[in-house]
Amino acid sequence: MIMSKIAVLGTGSWGTALASVLADNQVDVTMWSHREAAAVEINDQHRNQKYLPDVELPTNLKATASMATVLRDIDILVLAVPTKAIREVIASINTQLDHPVVVVHVSKGIEPETNLRISEIITDAMTPSLVAAVVALSGPSHAEEVCRRMPTTLTAASTDESAAKLVQNAFSNLNLRVYTHHDIIGTEIGGALKNIIALGAGISDGVGNGDNAKAALITRGMREIIRLGEAVGAEEETFSGLTGIGDLIVTCTSQHSRNWQTGYRLGKGETLTEVLASVGMIVEGVRTTEAVYLWAKKLQISMPITEAIYGILYDEKSPTVAVDELMGRQKKSEY
């Protein structure tokens, strides 16, 4: 039994899944929702029907709509809100948290205006005296499978080894195996950029390009991720692990993936506006594509797949035209 008291901010599918793991581990965990109705449903019905339909949650999992209540006496704070909401949530934390905590983030994105990774957003926005350490918890994982206690592996990455091990111990059980790693830069880059490639994989499947095309997209997409990652200080080895190729594979090949689903529907002819209006959840890859496209231009890094997906999302470029342009690029060596 882990003696830490943990708050999970956000009652989306992934936050709920991770909170359920903690509850299974008999951790004192409480979720925070900005919607009172969601907290009541979790407490009274042990359900989160909007995000995880037909999944029964542990009876010892608690929820509240009070930020002050959820932050009281905690040791670990898990941020499970969309990237674009992190600064707003941290502003509330700053006024209501009164002691330092280990901050764990489980979202995957890049801030468009600043090119900051999520750990950098946290250290930029959160009162320094409240942050004992920052840990990125990431890896190939779908909430639907974690909630059903299917075998899953994650990585807890931090420059603070003791904080990474604390998170490892809190979340690990026979269904969820957590590794530790020191390369938080590579972990965050891999987690964010794989969503771009997953959009492309969905588009490719939607237009019927086949398995050969998707294998090429995944492989060459990973080269782009590594290229940008190394430019900002990541270690290449990280991208051969769970938060690199592992996360990329599962997001590009599973129909659980919101990014794949969005790309697939775009490939079938729907507009981005139509798709996002009906998904009902944040599709991180859309915002990340814009951020990384502009970031790569600034850094003068070649990312042709990212550029192609940006063109489809934001310039209404035909997927067929985008593929033709990629295939017709100047011939070159693979490495």
Side-chain angles (χ1 to χ4, degrees), residues 195-207:
N195 286 330
I196 302 174
I197 309 305
L199 284 168
I203 292 169
S204 182
D205 287 338
V207 300

Side-chain angles (χ1 to χ4, degrees), residues 50-68:
K50 178 179 179 180
Y51 294 108
L52 291 167
D54 304 321
V55 171
E56 185 172 352
L57 304 177
T59 57
N60 60 325
L61 177 58
K62 308 179 293 293
T64 180
S66 167
M67 181 69 77

Side-chain angles (χ1 to χ4, degrees), residues 20 26 41 81 83 102 139 161 187 220 234:
S20 296
Q26 300 304 309
E41 182 185 31
V81 297
T83 304
V102 172
E161 184 179 6
T187 296
R220 296 307 302 170

